[in-house]
């Protein structure tokens, strides 16, 4: 389960096998739209996080109440009883990363106690904090659950890797090698390209300026953003986003001549940047089995086609084609983090996040006694399994 500013998403995952051999299938998914007043408070609170002030308790409670509604609707609509659910993975929207840097503490929007009390289910949240406590940035933290969600554990050595393009608030690239049964985690690569819709949306609001509409070269936009080191800009830093916008207004004002010009230029720049980063930073062989586009960008057909044109030898698919609603991947990742915690498997990759060690991620808020005993039983069974030395440290 994960909230963003627009809606609260939830998904139920069926889990076969355990740990790194686990197979995760999304069997049901649901969104609850965030009320306008709650969204407004989240937007104001998100800006306040970067200056060190946490969200008011009222907003945290409202978000949790939305999550309770989503869980109840989700279970009722698919006919799954709460007794069959092991745990809930709860995750807040990505915000306050500048605050993390200042304090060394992650921010969790929502109250797991409210969710556990209302549903009777054990809740696991705060996945970023353990990585940050070990000196990590929590950037790229989603790599491992993304790998588990989008690959299957196989015996074959001929399986090929996949590339994921998550084009949402920010732009992220994931290189997901084939997953083999009972084998260690192979090298997984991650790249962050900077803000995506976090930059496009405020620019769109400025498109009513009286500037003549002319064609803008994506290369010109790319050169400017490269000079600004946009890859180092975090999508949840209002100050950094504002600086980029001011530079665009000064250097390329014609970009805002119309929303059509802006969107076409930005999409062309995104496609070219994605292609360049994959070519420069991901292994060229074996060939990709698939390129998967996720997020709001997956709902832009012209953008998806431009990405496909850059990779003529690869199959390009989207989360829409998989039947996933917007937000389903984020909710699934939260659920997989919870499953990894139950199985006592480290959820972070220190080479990517910068942490000094791999750790089991998340904190636990117990559900009712029956559910909590079930979670403890599952964790005890995981503890009795033979663990590789690097996982046992």
């Amino acid at each position: 389960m994960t909230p963003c500013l627009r809606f609260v998403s939830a998904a139920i995952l069926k889990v076969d096998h355990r740990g790194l051999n686990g197979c995760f299938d999304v069997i049901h998914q649901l969104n609850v739209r965030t009320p306008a007043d709650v969204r407004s408070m989240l937007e104001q609170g998100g800006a306040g996080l970067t200056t060190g002030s946490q969200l008011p308790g009222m907003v945290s409670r409202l978000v949790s109440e939305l999550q309770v509604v989503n869980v109840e609707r989700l279970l009722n609509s698919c006919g799954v009883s709460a007794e069959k659910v092991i745990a809930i993975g709860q995750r807040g929207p990505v915000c306050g990363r500048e605050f993390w840097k200042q304090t060394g503490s992650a921010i969790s929007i929502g109250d797991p106690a409210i969710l556990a009390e209302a549903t009777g289910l054990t809740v696991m949240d705060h996945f970023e904090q353990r990585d940050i406590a070990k000196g990590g940035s929590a950037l790229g933290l989603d790599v491992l659950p993304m790998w588990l969600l989008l690959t299957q554990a196989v015996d074959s050595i001929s399986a090929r890797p996949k590339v994921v393009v998550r084009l949402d608030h920010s732009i992220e690239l994931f290189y997901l090698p084939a997953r083999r049964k009972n084998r260690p985690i192979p090298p997984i690569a991650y790249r962050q390209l900077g803000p995506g819709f976090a930059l496009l949306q405020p620019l769109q609001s400025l498109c009513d300026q009286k500037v003549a509409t002319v064609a803008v070269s994506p290369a010109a936009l790319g050169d400017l953003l490269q000079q600004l080191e946009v890859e180092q800009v975090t999508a949840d830093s209002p100050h950094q986003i504002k600086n980029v916008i001011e530079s665009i207004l000064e250097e390329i004002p014609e970009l805002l001549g119309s929303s059509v010009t802006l969107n076409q230029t930005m999409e062309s720049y995104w496609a070219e940047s994605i292609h360049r980063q994959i070519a420069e930073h991901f292994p060229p062989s074996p060939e990709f089995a698939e390129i998967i586009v996720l997020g709001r960008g997956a709902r832009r057909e012209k953008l998806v086609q431009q990405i496909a044109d850059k990779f003529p030898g690869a199959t390009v698919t989207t989360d829409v084609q998989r039947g996933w609603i917007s937000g389903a991947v984020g909710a699934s990742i939260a659920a997989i983090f919870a499953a990894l915690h139950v199985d006592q498997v480290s959820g972070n990759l220190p080479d990517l996040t910068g942490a000094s060690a791999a750790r089991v991620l998340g904190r636990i808020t117990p559900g009712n006694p029956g559910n909590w005993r079930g979670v403890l039983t599952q964790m005890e069974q995981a503890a009795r399994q033979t663990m590789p030395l690097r996982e046992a440290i």
Side-chain angles (χ1 to χ4, degrees):
M1 169 170 295
T2 176
C4 72
L5 298 186
R6 295 176 295 139
F7 46 76
V8 174
S9 301
I12 295 180
L13 271 62
K14 178 185 177 184
V15 184
D16 291 321
H17 308 295
R18 305 193 65 168
L20 299 180
N21 289 329
C23 176
F24 299 88
D25 290 325
V26 180
I27 61 174
H28 208 71
Q29 51 196 324
L30 187 67
N31 281 338
V32 172
R33 184 164 294 277
T34 306
D37 56 341
V38 178
R39 178 173 177 176
S40 176
M41 285 188 286
L42 281 171
E43 289 172 343
Q44 295 172 11
L49 287 173
T50 61
T51 61
S53 59
Q54 295 199 25
L55 287 171
M58 180 177 64
V59 180
S60 187
R61 172 173 287 276
L62 290 172
V63 167
S64 298
E65 290 173 351
L66 285 174
Q67 293 172 334
V68 170
V69 170
N70 214 347
V71 170
E72 292 175 346
R73 290 184 180 179
L74 189 65
L75 293 175
N76 290 335
S77 61
C78 67
V80 175
S81 65
E83 289 75 14
K84 295 183 178 180
V85 179
I86 297 297
I88 296 174
Q90 181 190 39
R91 203 176 189 194
V94 177
C95 65
R97 201 172 296 277
E98 292 300 310
F99 181 68
W100 296 4
K101 293 177 181 178
Q102 296 169 19
T103 65
S105 177
I107 298 299
S108 179
I109 299 178
D111 188 342
I114 292 176
L115 189 56
E117 184 65 30
T119 63
L121 299 173
T122 296
V123 178
M124 299 180 184
D125 71 330
H126 229 42
F127 303 110
E128 294 83 2
Q129 180 59 54
R130 195 65 186 273
D131 184 76
I132 293 172
K134 293 300 294 181
S137 65
L139 287 172
L141 198 68
D142 291 355
V143 166
L144 186 57
M146 187 80 76
W147 181 60
L148 294 171
L149 177 65
L150 295 174
T151 64
Q152 299 290 327
V154 296
D155 293 316
S156 172
I157 62 173
S158 62
R160 294 185 292 163
K162 299 179 180 181
V163 170
V164 173
V165 178
R166 185 159 66 179
L167 220 168
D168 217 305
H169 204 55
S170 60
I171 305 174
E172 300 167 286
L173 305 178
F174 302 79
Y175 174 82
L176 309 179
R179 179 157 54 112
R180 297 182 64 189
K181 291 181 180 178
N182 303 314
R183 295 295 181 90
I185 302 171
I188 301 177
Y190 170 82
R191 295 290 297 177
Q192 179 164 299
L193 277 61
F197 286 88
L199 176 61
L200 179 60
Q201 287 181 323
L203 286 174
Q204 287 176 326
S205 67
L206 301 175
C207 280
D208 57 350
Q209 296 184 14
K210 303 299 182 181
V211 181
T213 302
V214 297
V216 178
S217 168
L221 176 62
D223 291 342
L224 174 60
L225 294 180
Q226 187 174 4
Q227 294 174 15
L228 298 173
E229 299 182 335
V230 72
E231 293 178 14
Q232 305 301 320
V233 174
T234 55
D236 54 324
S237 173
H239 175 69
Q240 292 180 336
I241 296 291
K242 180 181 178 181
N243 289 341
V244 174
I245 292 174
E246 289 176 349
S247 297
I248 291 175
L249 287 171
E250 181 179 348
E251 300 292 336
I252 319 178
E254 60 272 20
L255 181 66
L256 305 181
S258 73
S259 60
V260 174
T261 299
L262 173 62
N263 281 278
Q264 289 179 346
T265 307
M266 191 65 77
E267 288 182 358
S268 296
Y269 162 72
W270 283 344
E272 178 58 36
S273 180
I274 289 167
H275 175 260
R276 184 179 68 255
Q277 291 286 335
I278 290 176
E280 292 178 358
H281 298 284
F282 289 174
S285 62
E287 295 182 351
F288 306 142
E290 185 180 11
I291 297 176
I292 308 169
V293 184
L294 306 176
R296 277 176 278 181
R299 285 145 183 83
R300 294 190 168 217
E301 294 183 2
K302 292 183 179 179
L303 173 58
V304 174
Q305 186 58 53
Q306 287 187 65
I307 295 174
D309 292 342
K310 298 287 185 181
F311 301 93
T315 300
V316 177
T317 62
T318 68
D319 52 3
V320 178
Q321 293 170 316
R322 290 170 176 261
W324 292 345
I325 62 175
S326 180
V329 172
S332 300
I333 285 174
I336 293 174
F337 272 130
L340 291 175
H341 191 117
V342 171
D343 290 342
Q344 296 294 282
V345 175
S346 301
N348 63 330
L349 300 179
D351 289 345
L352 297 181
T353 67
S356 60
R359 286 291 181 264
V360 175
L361 304 180
R363 66 180 178 185
I364 300 178
T365 303
N368 62 40
N371 174 262
W372 179 230
R373 283 194 295 270
V375 171
L376 291 176
T377 300
Q378 294 278 344
M379 295 176 70
E380 183 182 4
Q381 292 173 355
R384 289 200 298 264
Q385 295 178 354
T386 302
M387 300 174 65
L389 181 60
R390 64 181 185 84
E391 294 288 348
I393 294 175

